[in-house]
Amino acid sequence: MKKMMVNCAVCDMRSVSEETLKSYEQIVVNAATVIVTPEKKELINRYNVTMNAADVIEVPAGENVRVISQNGSYELTADRAPQDGETVILFVNGVLNIDAGAAEAAQKYYQINVNGSVTLPKSISGRLNNLNVNGSVNVYPDGAIRLNRNAEIDRTFPLRAKENALYWAFRRMIFTDLALDTEKLRNRNVRFAAKTALIAESLAEAVVPMLSEDTDILIVPDGTAFVNSDAKMNRRFLKKYGTKAYINGDLTVEDDAAEIFPEIEYLYVNGDVKIPQALADAFEDIDAHYDELVIQKKTGKIIEDHVRATVDKALLEKYADGILVTDCAMVHIAKDVPSELILERLTIADCAQVFCTEEQEAAVSAVSRDVAMIGAKEEEQDSVADLVTGALHLNPEFKVINASDYVM
């Protein structure tokens, strides 16, 4: 008899029939949320059904239930309130913005589930007992005008700034444009609130009094470029960003960057610096801030996007410049690979599981980053391999459904 696996964000089982449940030896539902009625829940419990769900929502049978599922962003406004007699469940996979005047509308939802982040005014925070968030909740001051997550307050901003307005950014405000007319902002009684503010040194005295007291302040040298993304440092770096830069992301240092190191005056990396081994010592002479210095080996071979990848001694010996294994579900290190060869030639990044012997485990850990699990016994490897095989439809008795939302 067949088995079924359902992988989805929302699984609606309010209409599942006994005939469907009977036709499978086993049903596994992996979902963020499962919706059932009390009657269907009782029926499901009589069969071999496994639910791996963060939340199981029971709704009364026979009610006018409407499910709204939104991937991306959703704006909850006062005019989006459920109608009288309507039971509405809202799912948002992404960002939910709740407007200041939408408190009453939000309270009319049977349940609001967010897998991501919620942004709402302070007056609403804590009032929504029907709100479940798997992620972050961002509260902004009542009456504030919301800007981008990273809002650059440049010379054009005073031209449109409103009198007595409070502007809010979830992440940071950037005041690095030296042509910013701070006097005009002050005359209009403009105020700012954010978690962090980046301020050019010559603007600090005028800008700091406009900021909320709970804003963390970082003063940077005049002329600092704000780079709101990952960046690469090479010989073209100075032409693109100048000698002073704030990188809001990771910085990858390329082989030809050494010649510009002496010219860097200021460098702040809000992330990691990834650098070749040969340049690491010279880079540390730069007065730079960063989270972590990640040494990258030379890579002669890249193995990526595999369900299962195997690295043995012969493969590592073939590539003197090393091997990078990345974005793979399972990585199997053969028993014949000595720890010294792992340390010298192997790099593993962004992989779910790495299987190796107990003797290899320390070396594998040293060359890995962003790996969920390292080390396993052979029988555990076989078990995981069987699961993946079924999920890939290689087993004709295994039915797999992958969907955003699924009605069973």
Side-chain angles (χ1 to χ4, degrees):
M1 188 177 283
K2 288 187 176 182
K3 298 179 180 180
M4 173 190 275
M5 177 182 286
V6 178
N7 303 308
C8 61
V10 179
C11 185
D12 188 345
M13 301 184 73
R14 291 176 296 151
S15 302
V16 67
S17 67
E18 189 164 12
E19 183 180 354
T20 298
L21 298 174
K22 277 182 180 178
S23 61
Y24 291 96
E25 176 188 348
Q26 181 184 19
I27 297 175
V28 178
V29 177
N30 300 312
T33 304
V34 175
I35 305 174
V36 294
T37 64
E39 294 79 8
K40 292 299 181 182
K41 185 177 181 181
E42 183 180 341
L43 174 63
I44 291 167
N45 288 339
R46 296 204 297 263
Y47 291 90
N48 189 13
V49 178
T50 301
M51 293 185 192
N52 300 313
D55 194 16
V56 177
I57 302 176
E58 285 190 44
V59 296
E63 287 199 7
N64 179 20
V65 177
R66 183 161 63 99
V67 176
I68 301 173
S69 186
Q70 177 73 31
N71 292 320
S73 62
Y74 189 85
E75 198 81 17
L76 205 166
T77 55
D79 58 357
R80 283 186 163 174
Q83 301 297 315
D84 291 340
E86 188 180 39
T87 300
V88 181
I89 304 171
L90 172 63
F91 295 97
V92 178
N93 293 306
V95 178
L96 172 64
N97 293 311
I98 302 178
D99 282 0
E104 186 176 344
Q107 289 169 337
K108 289 184 177 181
Y109 284 82
Y110 188 82
Q111 193 159 321
I112 301 173
N113 284 6
V114 180
N115 185 30
S117 66
V118 175
T119 301
L120 74 170
K122 188 175 181 180
S123 59
I124 297 178
S125 178
R127 291 174 55 189
L128 300 179
N129 297 325
N130 57 344
L131 175 62
N132 298 314
V133 183
N134 180 24
S136 61
V137 177
N138 311 309
V139 179
Y140 62 89
D142 287 276
I145 299 172
R146 287 180 288 165
L147 301 177
N148 294 333
R149 290 170 59 90
N150 295 287
E152 296 193 57
I153 311 301
D154 59 15
R155 68 192 71 188
T156 66
F157 192 89
L159 301 177
R160 54 187 176 178
K162 297 180 179 180
E163 292 271 355
N164 302 313
L166 171 62
Y167 290 92
W168 177 83
F170 164 56
R171 184 61 63 188
R172 60 177 58 79
M173 298 274 189
I174 300 98
F175 301 86
T176 54
D177 187 345
L178 300 182
L180 176 66
D181 190 342
T182 56
E183 185 176 355
K184 184 175 288 187
L185 292 175
R186 185 172 58 251
N187 290 339
R188 292 187 178 182
N189 193 31
V190 174
R191 293 162 295 129
F192 300 96
K195 289 185 178 179
T196 305
L198 257 65
I199 309 174
E201 191 169 4
S202 63
L203 297 176
E205 187 173 348
V207 169
V208 169
M210 302 181 196
L211 295 168
S212 61
E213 293 183 356
D214 58 350
T215 299
D216 292 330
I217 296 171
L218 176 65
I219 296 176
V220 299
D222 289 357
T224 297
F226 177 75
V227 184
N228 192 26
S229 64
D230 294 339
K232 294 181 179 180
M233 177 178 282
N234 46 42
R235 62 167 58 100
R236 295 181 296 278
F237 184 88
L238 296 179
K239 186 175 182 180
K240 195 171 184 180
Y241 304 122
T243 60
K244 293 170 277 191
Y246 181 104
I247 310 297
N248 191 32
D250 293 335
L251 176 67
T252 300
V253 180
E254 298 185 344
D255 291 331
D256 62 351
E259 60 190 69
I260 71 165
F261 284 178
E263 299 184 60
I264 300 296
E265 297 180 68
Y266 177 83
L267 181 62
Y268 193 110
V269 181
N270 190 32
D272 295 336
V273 173
K274 303 172 184 178
I275 190 167
Q277 176 81 56
L279 301 183
D281 289 343
F283 183 83
E284 289 185 345
D285 290 336
I286 298 175
D287 183 17
H289 169 93
Y290 48 84
D291 291 343
E292 186 177 351
L293 194 66
V294 180
I295 306 300
Q296 294 188 312
K297 301 173 187 173
K298 275 191 153 183
T299 302
K301 173 71 175 175
I302 298 176
I303 301 171
E304 61 182 335
D305 296 325
H306 286 255
V307 173
R308 189 174 187 179
T310 299
V311 178
D312 59 19
K313 185 178 179 182
L315 188 65
L316 284 171
E317 287 179 339
K318 181 179 179 180
Y319 294 98
D321 285 339
I323 294 174
L324 169 64
V325 182
T326 181
D327 294 318
C328 294
M330 294 185 296
V331 181
H332 179 203
I333 310 298
K335 293 180 180 179
D336 66 349
V337 183
S339 296
E340 295 77 12
L341 196 58
I342 292 172
L343 291 168
E344 180 184 344
R345 297 192 179 182
L346 182 62
T347 301
I348 303 172
D350 300 309
C351 296
Q353 297 173 308
V354 179
F355 301 118
C356 61
T357 66
E358 191 175 336
E359 293 75 21
Q360 295 168 331
E361 191 169 334
V364 170
S365 297
V367 301
S368 299
R369 67 175 186 272
D370 296 325
V371 173
M373 192 278 289
I374 296 174
K377 297 178 181 178
E378 287 295 330
E379 55 267 26
E380 291 171 330
Q381 296 177 24
D382 295 338
S383 173
V384 175
D386 290 343
L387 177 62
V388 173
T389 299
L392 290 174
H393 298 268
L394 299 179
N395 183 348
E397 296 298 308
F398 204 104
K399 181 178 181 181
V400 178
I401 297 170
N402 297 311
S404 174
D405 304 320
Y406 184 70
V407 179
M408 185 180 291

